[in-house]
Amino acid sequence: MKNIIAEMVKKVTPSKTAQTASKKISEEMLDRVKKAAAKFPHVTDVQLGGSLAKGTWLGDADVDIFVKFKRSVSREKFEETAKKIGFESLKEYSPYVKYSEHPYVEAEIKKTRINVVPYYDVKPGKWKSSADRSPYHTKLMKESLTAKMSGDVRVLKAFLKANGIYGAEIAREGFSGYVAEVLVLHFKSFEGVVRNMAGADKNCVIGKVEKKFDSEVVIADPVDGKRNLAAAISRQNMAKFVLLCRAFVAGPSASFFRKKRPRASKRLWNDLLVVSFAFRERSPDKIWGQVKRTASSLSRQLEIGGFVVLRSKAHIEKRAYLFFLLESGCIPLLYQKKGPELSRTGSSEKFIKKNRKDLKLMWVKDDGRIASLKEREYPDAVGFMRWFLKNNIQSDIPSGLQGDFVRGVKVFMGSDSLGKSIKEAAGELVSTDGAFLYFD
């Protein structure tokens, strides 16, 4: 294992040329932001943050420049001024606004993303915005991570990235760069992380917490014990990480750091239901949250309609796509509806009266319960979903998407109408997860 890790440290550490180039860009941008911020007396400092400042970045560096505001500044003025500083300092590079808990300005320079992020000058625990912790994160890691640990953080990031679980954005719900740093700091090395996480189970608590969390795995933020970093990681991605750690400990290999091609099942494409619609532009976090909630809502409705949903997924690429892998796209026309026991007089009479309409058959089962045989109006998934969306948009679709659904939605089975990149995204549902392939 140690040889594999040492080999990967060399591979994932940026070259001296790349480090010099990134340092030059970051210093130039930091100077520009400082000049733009000097016009505003309520801004007290500008500093470099993020993985570049901490020495844990991979080849695709992001430069995070944090702009400190006095605590007394209103939220409106805080956001407005931050955008002015961002646009002024990055005006030569086509800057644009992005959103997290609050807006920030981003631009791309020679494949390097520059983020100008505002935060308040507050003491630990007195947070006014989500970015207020970031300078403390940077200070902690710069003071605590040894050169060897920094290399191991890079290896962990590469491990997560190759297996599709790196990135804290709501679209991914994976591991952030800061979580990777916290894990290496806590367990002292990449090897320590994978060995300990391979044995992780429910009620696993990493770090010192200052409150109780309702979560199977808790990763305490070292600068804020009331914050669980694992809360932003989906249960699916956390479970996948544990599985990958087990496999790596059992058989260390450089292949864990290369993206595996999934093994797709061609037959399963026939049972993939696709719901697609165009949407009006809004912040990525907002649209992803709405689309994911819609996928969950429609999964429940398919189950209520008699369909078995094996897996589901949301995807956004110009249009929004909801994918549902069904046990079968067509289910029996007739189905049994179970009622109460005959001894429950009121309930049994209600059931009889309610189900006599369009009745095919009604009988008393061996266990003394009433049962009726009903006929489905829509035994095929496409017909059911089209009917459901036509009649239930206002009650089962998030309010922010209702207008988009009214303007038009496509519902179909299979992959014939999907473009290459969209089919690749949908293909995850009809493929064996790459984590399992390491157990071959």
Side-chain angles (χ1 to χ4, degrees):
M1 184 186 290
K2 293 186 188 303
N3 290 338
I4 296 292
I5 296 171
E7 176 189 339
M8 292 314 304
V9 169
K10 292 178 183 177
K11 284 188 176 182
V12 301
T13 300
S15 66
K16 288 185 178 179
T17 302
Q19 292 187 45
T20 300
S22 292
K23 185 178 180 182
K24 184 179 179 181
I25 290 175
S26 64
E27 287 177 347
E28 181 184 341
M29 291 303 107
L30 183 64
D31 186 55
R32 285 173 178 248
V33 175
K34 283 182 176 179
K35 287 179 180 177
K39 303 173 187 177
F40 302 95
H42 45 284
V43 173
T44 61
D45 193 19
V46 176
Q47 56 186 267
L48 189 66
S51 59
L52 189 66
K54 292 179 276 189
T56 61
W57 58 283
L58 296 174
D60 49 349
D62 287 354
V63 176
D64 297 325
I65 299 174
F66 290 96
V67 180
K68 184 192 286 187
F69 284 75
K70 291 180 179 179
R71 190 179 185 281
S72 57
V73 174
S74 70
R75 188 55 172 250
E76 184 180 358
K77 193 173 185 179
F78 170 83
E79 294 183 2
E80 181 184 331
T81 305
K83 284 191 279 190
K84 286 180 180 178
I85 293 170
F87 276 99
E88 173 62 26
S89 57
L90 303 176
K91 60 186 176 183
E92 294 177 26
Y93 307 100
S94 304
Y96 46 89
V97 176
K98 291 198 73 175
Y99 294 84
S100 182
E101 182 223 20
H102 55 67
Y104 61 96
V105 179
E106 183 177 276
E108 289 192 23
I109 305 173
K110 298 177 182 179
K111 296 184 179 180
T112 298
R113 279 195 301 270
I114 311 295
N115 302 310
V116 178
V117 184
Y119 73 100
Y120 282 104
D121 182 8
V122 294
K123 293 181 179 179
K126 304 295 183 181
W127 321 114
K128 289 189 68 178
S129 82
S130 59
D132 296 348
R133 300 179 183 86
S134 297
Y136 291 98
H137 292 163
T138 301
K139 184 174 184 294
L140 172 70
M141 293 304 167
K142 285 177 73 173
E143 292 176 349
S144 305
L145 291 176
T146 63
K148 181 184 178 304
M149 284 181 178
S150 295
D152 281 6
V153 169
R154 287 189 169 110
V155 173
L156 178 54
K157 288 182 178 181
F159 182 82
L160 295 165
K161 196 170 186 178
N163 291 285
I165 55 176
Y166 184 66
E169 64 274 14
I170 192 170
R172 177 75 63 184
E173 293 184 282
F175 291 70
S176 67
Y178 180 58
V179 169
E181 292 162 356
V182 169
L183 289 174
V184 170
L185 181 63
H186 182 81
F187 292 117
K188 309 304 180 187
S189 65
F190 173 77
E191 182 176 354
V193 172
V194 292
R195 289 194 182 281
N196 281 278
M197 293 306 296
D201 54 13
K202 292 182 179 180
N203 305 316
C204 171
V205 179
I206 298 166
K208 295 180 180 179
V209 296
E210 296 178 18
K211 59 177 281 190
K212 188 178 176 72
F213 295 99
D214 183 20
S215 177
E216 292 183 357
V217 176
V218 175
I219 303 174
D221 186 340
V223 304
D224 184 358
K226 295 179 180 178
R227 182 180 179 222
N228 175 21
L229 298 172
I233 304 170
S234 70
R235 291 181 67 183
Q236 183 183 40
N237 283 334
M238 182 61 75
K240 187 175 178 180
F241 180 54
V242 171
L243 190 66
L244 286 163
C245 289
R246 289 178 189 170
F248 186 81
V249 170
S253 168
S255 66
F256 282 83
F257 299 90
R258 295 190 293 269
K259 187 175 180 179
K260 277 189 174 287
R261 289 179 64 86
R263 296 177 181 175
S265 171
K266 293 181 180 179
R267 186 181 64 80
L268 293 177
W269 282 111
N270 296 328
D271 293 310
L272 184 78
L273 176 67
V274 182
V275 177
S276 170
F277 60 95
F279 59 90
R280 289 182 176 175
E281 198 64 33
R282 65 206 76 180
S283 73
D285 279 357
K286 193 167 187 177
I287 184 62
W288 269 105
Q290 292 170 338
V291 171
K292 285 193 169 191
R293 287 198 301 276
T294 302
S296 296
S297 176
L298 295 186
S299 284
R300 287 193 301 272
Q301 294 304 327
L302 282 164
E303 294 277 2
I304 291 170
F307 299 89
V308 177
V309 181
L310 302 175
R311 305 175 76 181
S312 65
K313 180 184 177 180
H315 180 69
I316 295 176
E317 193 173 317
K318 293 184 179 177
R319 291 175 65 87
Y321 293 85
L322 309 176
F323 304 120
F324 306 92
L325 178 60
L326 307 177
E327 193 173 81
S328 176
C330 289
I331 54 179
L333 180 64
L334 299 176
Y335 70 100
Q336 178 189 164
K337 188 169 184 180
K338 295 179 181 179
E341 295 178 355
L342 276 171
S343 58
R344 294 171 59 191
T345 307
S347 297
S348 60
E349 287 183 2
K350 267 187 195 176
F351 180 83
I352 293 169
K353 289 177 182 178
K354 186 177 179 180
N355 290 279
R356 284 184 65 181
K357 186 180 180 182
D358 301 324
L359 182 66
K360 297 295 178 185
L361 186 67
M362 187 174 285
W363 70 100
V364 178
K365 294 169 64 71
D366 293 342
D367 61 2
R369 298 172 72 98
I370 307 170
S372 66
L373 192 64
K374 305 282 287 184
E375 184 175 294
R376 290 187 172 94
E377 191 171 354
Y378 298 100
D380 67 291
V382 171
F384 172 82
M385 185 55 68
R386 285 175 178 165
W387 164 82
F388 181 82
L389 292 176
K390 184 179 179 180
N391 295 279
N392 298 277
I393 285 180
Q394 290 189 338
S395 59
D396 287 270
I397 302 299
S399 58
L401 290 183
Q402 289 176 12
D404 299 313
F405 269 80
V406 169
R407 281 186 289 274
V409 59
K410 295 179 181 179
V411 182
F412 54 93
M413 298 292 296
S415 61
D416 292 345
S417 300
L418 300 177
K420 184 179 178 181
S421 59
I422 299 165
K423 185 175 180 179
E424 185 178 330
E428 291 182 14
L429 294 189
V430 296
S431 306
T432 295
D433 196 300
F436 292 103
L437 303 183
Y438 294 113
F439 289 88
D440 282 356

